[in-house]
């Protein structure tokens, strides 16, 4: 295999030739975030090799490149562990961004997971003649019996179309590019969005004498991150095992009102549907308060209704107010990018989410799988990864038993086999 030039020695399970065609004996995983790493580790436990293709230059690129410095996990670490290897015992209850990245790097190293970096998947589609998936990057075409979509719900920033934003003379950034409030010192900043990111960015801005104006377009559930020393999420998870969901929601809201007060009075109107039910139905996560609420109550964070239009020097709001603004931060979330590269597949909606709801969204047909699209964070990712690995592991063993050379029936002009 002289054409390898040593670059493939850690992937003994695939071959390529001068036509840049690579046959991968195990599954191809697209994405080296927590979802891709967890699935690769679980496959390894089933003795199934895999190849991860990652468009950026590192694992967990969303965490490494697109998160702000003060970010911590919103849930206790036991709810954010990947299968087969937990967080170090000395990590705090809510690990920091850098601790989480170090956990991911340790995880990849522990399971000897070596993604192929700088391989952006341009197109993936099922070849009905071969019965295999063809996955094209800028350098190669990879071919495999299985394709695992691990690019997740947060692949691309959502940039809303706000009237007049093009003529605004100040800075406009999405939270994916926000690192710290220090660059906005002493400014008036419009933060569009009131989810966990919007709230935390506003809180961070307050440290630098910024006056954040947070746009709240819709209703929002705000819950304390902890109640009586216990994680609110943990309490909710324990209660739903024993009580009806609607009752648990009522109890959570009762406790939230007791702890935080009535948020309607400060411009944060609660939805009619309870927080857990809303999360299950729409995927919309409740905000877990880590201090922003007290800054809203003290007037340091201004809550604004929807934006009517952006002007050259500021913003006009739907309630008739007009404010001068120096910068705009879009805390408008992320979306899936699956429709841009996965072709001829009806398993995903036009928004790039599996049509089958949790817990059945992990398996499609023709060897297609998805991980990390549950709307249930890293817990959902772990569940998907375990299911996928078991399913492919059974197929792998059956194929091995039936005919060890079963992989090698592809047309020889496309593939160079190891001798």
């Amino acid at each position: 295999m002289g054409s390898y030039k040593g670059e493939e020695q850690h992937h003994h399970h695939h071959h390529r030739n001068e036509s840049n065609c690579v046959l991968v004996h195990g599954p191809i995983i697209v994405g080296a975030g927590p979802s891709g790493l967890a699935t690769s580790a679980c496959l390894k436990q089933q003795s199934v090799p895999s190849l991860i293709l990652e468009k950026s230059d590192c694992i967990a690129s969303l965490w490494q490149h697109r998160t702000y410095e003060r970010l911590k996990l919103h849930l206790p670490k036991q709810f954010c562990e990947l299968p087969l290897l937990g967080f170090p015992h000395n990590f705090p209850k809510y690990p920091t961004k850098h601790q989480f990245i170090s956990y991911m790097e340790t995880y990849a190293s522990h399971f000897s997971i070596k993604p192929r970096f700088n391989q952006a998947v341009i197109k993936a589609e099922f070849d009905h003649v071969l019965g295999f998936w063809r996955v094209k990057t800028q350098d190669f075409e990879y071919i495999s019996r299985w394709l695992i979509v691990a690019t997740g719900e947060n692949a691309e920033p959502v940039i809303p179309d706000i009237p007049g934003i093009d003529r605004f003379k100040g800075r406009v950034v999405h939270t994916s590019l926000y690192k710290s409030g220090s660059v906005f010192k002493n400014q008036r900043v419009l933060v569009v969005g009131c989810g966990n990111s919007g709230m935390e960015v506003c809180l961070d801005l307050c440290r630098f004498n910024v006056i954040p104006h947070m746009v709240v377009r819709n209703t929002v559930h705000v819950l304390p991150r902890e109640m009586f020393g216990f994680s609110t999420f943990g309490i909710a998870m324990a209660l739903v095992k024993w009580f009806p969901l609607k009752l648990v929601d009522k109890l959570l809201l009762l406790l939230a009102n007791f702890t935080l007060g009535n948020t309607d009075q400060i411009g944060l109107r609660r939805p009619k549907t309870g927080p857990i039910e809303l999360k299950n139905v729409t995927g919309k996560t409740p905000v877990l308060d880590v201090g922003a609420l007290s800054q809203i109550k003290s007037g340091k964070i201004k809550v604004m209704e929807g934006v009517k239009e952006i002007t050259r020097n500021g913003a006009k709001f739907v309630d008739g107010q007009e404010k001068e603004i120096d910068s705009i931060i879009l805390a408008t979330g992320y979306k899936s990018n699956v429709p841009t590269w996965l072709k001829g597949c009806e398993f995903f909606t036009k928004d790039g989410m599996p049509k089958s709801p949790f817990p059945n969204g992990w398996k499609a047909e023709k060897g297609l799988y998805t991980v990390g699209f549950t709307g249930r964070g890293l817990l959902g990712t772990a569940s998907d990864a375990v299911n996928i690995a078991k399913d492919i592991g059974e197929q792998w063993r059956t194929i091995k038993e039936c005919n060890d050379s079963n992989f090698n029936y592809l047309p020889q002009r496309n593939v160079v086999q190891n001798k």
Side-chain angles (χ1 to χ4, degrees), residues 337-385:
N337 68 3
V338 174
T340 64
W341 57 269
L342 184 62
K343 304 302 176 188
C345 172
E346 294 180 1
F347 182 71
F348 284 87
T349 65
K350 67 179 191 315
D351 296 326
M353 299 295 286
K355 286 179 182 172
S356 304
F358 181 83
N360 305 313
W362 58 273
K363 184 177 182 179
E365 52 192 22
K366 305 188 185 81
L368 178 68
Y369 297 85
T370 79
V371 55
F373 291 86
T374 62
R376 283 162 172 73
L378 292 162
L379 268 181
T381 287
S383 158
D384 282 350

Side-chain angles (χ1 to χ4, degrees), residues 37 58-59 64 100-110:
L37 298 179
C58 63
I59 62 164
Q64 301 224 43
F100 185 75
I101 291 166
S102 86
Y103 167 60
M104 290 285 98
E105 286 171 340
T106 303
Y107 192 89
S109 162
H110 180 83

Side-chain angles (χ1 to χ4, degrees), residues 235-249 251:
I235 293 170
M237 289 298 94
L239 290 174
V240 291
K241 289 178 183 169
W242 302 98
F243 301 106
L245 196 116
K246 281 186 174 5
L247 183 62
V248 175
D249 269 342
L251 188 60

Side-chain angles (χ1 to χ4, degrees), residues 221-228 230-240 243-261 270 274-279 286 288:
H221 276 302
V222 183
L223 303 175
R225 185 170 69 173
E226 296 201 336
M227 294 176 174
F228 314 113
F230 296 99
S231 146
T232 301
F233 182 79
I235 293 170
M237 289 298 94
L239 290 174
V240 291
F243 301 106
L245 196 116
K246 281 186 174 5
L247 183 62
V248 175
D249 269 342
K250 277 184 179 164
L251 188 60
L252 283 179
L253 290 176
L254 200 67
L255 291 169
N257 284 337
F258 175 73
T259 317
L260 304 174
R270 290 197 184 277
I276 304 174
E277 190 182 350
L278 191 72
K279 171 75 174 159
L288 295 175

Side-chain angles (χ1 to χ4, degrees), residues 64-80:
Q64 301 224 43
H65 297 324
R66 292 182 173 184
T67 48
Y68 37 94
E69 287 305 312
R70 64 167 284 138
L71 178 66
K72 292 183 178 180
L73 293 182
H74 290 117
L75 305 181
K77 60 185 178 183
Q78 70 265 30
F79 298 112
C80 302

Side-chain angles (χ1 to χ4, degrees), residues 280-297:
N280 289 352
V281 174
T282 67
K284 190 177 178 185
T285 309
V287 172
L288 295 175
D289 179 52
V290 290
L293 227 55
S294 66
Q295 302 285 36
I296 293 171
K297 287 173 184 171

